[in-house]
Amino acid sequence: MSREITLEPSVMIEELMYYIHQNEMGGDCIDPDNRFFPLYLELQKLLDHEQQKKYDLYVSVNADETK
């Protein structure tokens, strides 16, 4: 019996960021000297981009006046 789990990109990014924060950075604070810090920053930028796309789509559909 196999189950297929589909995650949205934003959820996957958040999970990876959480893993990095908890397991690689110690979970207390974000250390700029940590080797995973550049990756963490890039993931944050990607997450912001994904969330902005959702917002832009919502605004676009919400403002559609072709009704």
Side-chain angles (χ1 to χ4, degrees), residues 33-61:
D33 295 327
N34 188 291
R35 66 185 179 133
F36 286 100
F37 183 72
L39 174 60
Y40 192 87
L41 280 180
E42 291 303 314
L43 287 170
Q44 182 62 55
K45 290 177 189 176
L46 182 59
L47 182 60
D48 291 345
H49 177 73
E50 286 295 317
Q51 290 173 341
Q52 186 63 41
K53 282 192 333 189
K54 283 184 183 178
Y55 175 77
D56 289 345
L57 179 61
Y58 171 77
V59 170
S60 174
V61 170

Side-chain angles (χ1 to χ4, degrees), residues 1 7 17-19 31 35-36 39 56 60-61 63 67:
M1 177 185 287
L7 295 176
M17 289 177 69
Y18 178 80
Y19 177 85
D31 179 14
R35 66 185 179 133
F36 286 100
L39 174 60
D56 289 345
S60 174
V61 170
K67 299 175 188 173

